[in-house]
Amino acid sequence: AQTVTQSQPEMSVQEAETVTLSCTYDTSESDYYLFWYKQPPSRQMILVIRQEAYKQQNATENRFSVNFQKAAKSFSLKISDSQLGDAAMYFCAYRSSKYNNNDMRFGAGTRLTVKP
Amino acid sequence: NAGVTQTPKFRILKIGQSMTLQCTQDMNHNYMYWYRQDPGMGLKLIYYSVGAGITDKGEVPNGYNVSRSTTEDFPLRLELAAPSQTSVYFCASSYATGIVAYEQYFGPGTRLTVT
């Protein structure tokens, strides 16, 4: 079974600085999807960014970008120009691309604190 | 467009009681999911549905039941509640074809305590 590991339970960053959150995963599949979700204190899960494994180009969404290293099975999230509103739990998630496989696997999360 | 809505937001159950967590989506998504999130952990899939009338087990289905009579609704039933079911429950929905699975949209969660 696929597993997702987030080795940093907590991270902090100064406002306007850059921070990178780490994620590694284990799979024997060659095609899959990877996601970063943000969970603020409201508990709402919000999609931050998504990466298809067959795409070599790293996904970007405004201040958020990923470093996808398929051979190393690594999927880190970089947040540039950090803002106070970025403070939240961040979850890395893996999903198989197989049509009948609906098991999205989540990591344990990284709590990000943004210092003013 | 309300997205994914869940009721109730909070609930306290006594051991052995039963309850149904409601979930509704108005995005005409074919897939719906139920997850639980234990303290300090990521989400784990309980059950999912690929369309009305079709449901299947996820990673942690024991102690739960689901039904999907309409596209919009996907209730989760807890029978004989146990303290191990104390958790935050999230419902999610997505659109998927035979080729592409799109991102999941989550509801706000239900915090359940069993004492």
Side-chain angles (χ1 to χ4, degrees):
Chain A
Q2 295 85 9
T3 58
V4 178
T5 303
Q6 293 179 249
S7 59
Q8 307 153 317
E10 296 184 359
M11 292 282 285
S12 68
V13 63
Q14 206 70 34
E15 195 176 5
E17 298 292 309
T18 295
V19 65
T20 299
L21 308 184
S22 300
C23 173
T24 58
Y25 57 94
D26 185 28
T27 185
S28 58
E29 297 178 338
S30 60
D31 199 14
Y32 45 86
Y33 302 93
L34 295 165
F35 304 86
W36 277 99
Y37 278 90
K38 170 185 177 181
Q39 187 181 43
S42 66
R43 293 204 315 255
Q44 185 81 41
M45 294 286 283
I46 302 164
L47 179 67
V48 174
I49 201 163
R50 151 200 173 114
Q51 174 83 41
E52 289 91 343
Y54 66 86
K55 289 187 178 178
Q56 292 186 337
Q57 188 173 5
N58 289 325
T60 62
E61 286 288 341
N62 301 315
R63 298 182 296 107
F64 299 88
S65 62
V66 299
N67 183 4
F68 173 48
Q69 302 288 328
K70 191 172 184 180
K73 295 179 183 175
S74 169
F75 183 60
S76 60
L77 175 69
K78 185 171 86 171
I79 306 175
S80 304
D81 185 26
S82 297
Q83 301 175 357
L84 295 177
D86 295 334
M89 283 289 289
Y90 285 81
F91 292 96
C92 179
Y94 169 103
R95 189 193 187 287
S96 170
S97 67
K98 293 178 183 175
Y99 178 62
N100 60 350
N101 186 336
N102 291 278
D103 200 357
M104 183 114 93
R105 298 286 172 139
F106 287 81
T110 296
R111 182 175 301 282
L112 178 66
T113 302
V114 181
K115 298 177 181 177
Chain B
N1 219 355
V4 180
T5 56
Q6 292 181 238
T7 57
K9 285 187 170 53
F10 304 93
R11 184 71 186 268
I12 298 175
L13 280 182
K14 294 190 187 306
I15 294 171
Q17 286 186 321
S18 300
M19 77 163 294
T20 299
L21 281 65
Q22 301 292 343
C23 175
T24 300
Q25 55 94 6
D26 62 0
M27 297 174 281
N28 202 31
H29 285 164
N30 51 347
Y31 280 54
M32 295 188 74
Y33 313 82
W34 274 105
Y35 292 91
R36 59 178 286 171
Q37 183 182 27
D38 298 329
M41 302 295 289
L43 280 68
K44 292 191 176 181
L45 184 65
I46 304 171
Y47 270 96
Y48 67 94
S49 168
V50 302
I54 307 169
T55 63
D56 207 346
K57 297 177 181 178
E59 186 182 1
V60 289
N62 292 342
Y64 307 94
N65 277 300
V66 294
S67 60
R68 183 102 180 265
S69 57
T70 67
T71 299
E72 296 78 18
D73 300 307
F74 190 42
L76 177 72
R77 178 83 177 161
L78 279 72
E79 305 281 1
L80 299 174
S84 61
Q85 293 179 304
T86 294
S87 191
V88 179
Y89 291 83
F90 288 94
C91 179
S93 71
S94 71
Y95 178 70
T97 68
I99 301 171
V100 180
Y102 295 89
E103 57 264 26
Q104 297 181 13
Y105 293 81
F106 286 81
T110 295
R111 183 179 294 278
L112 176 68
T113 302
V114 182
T115 61

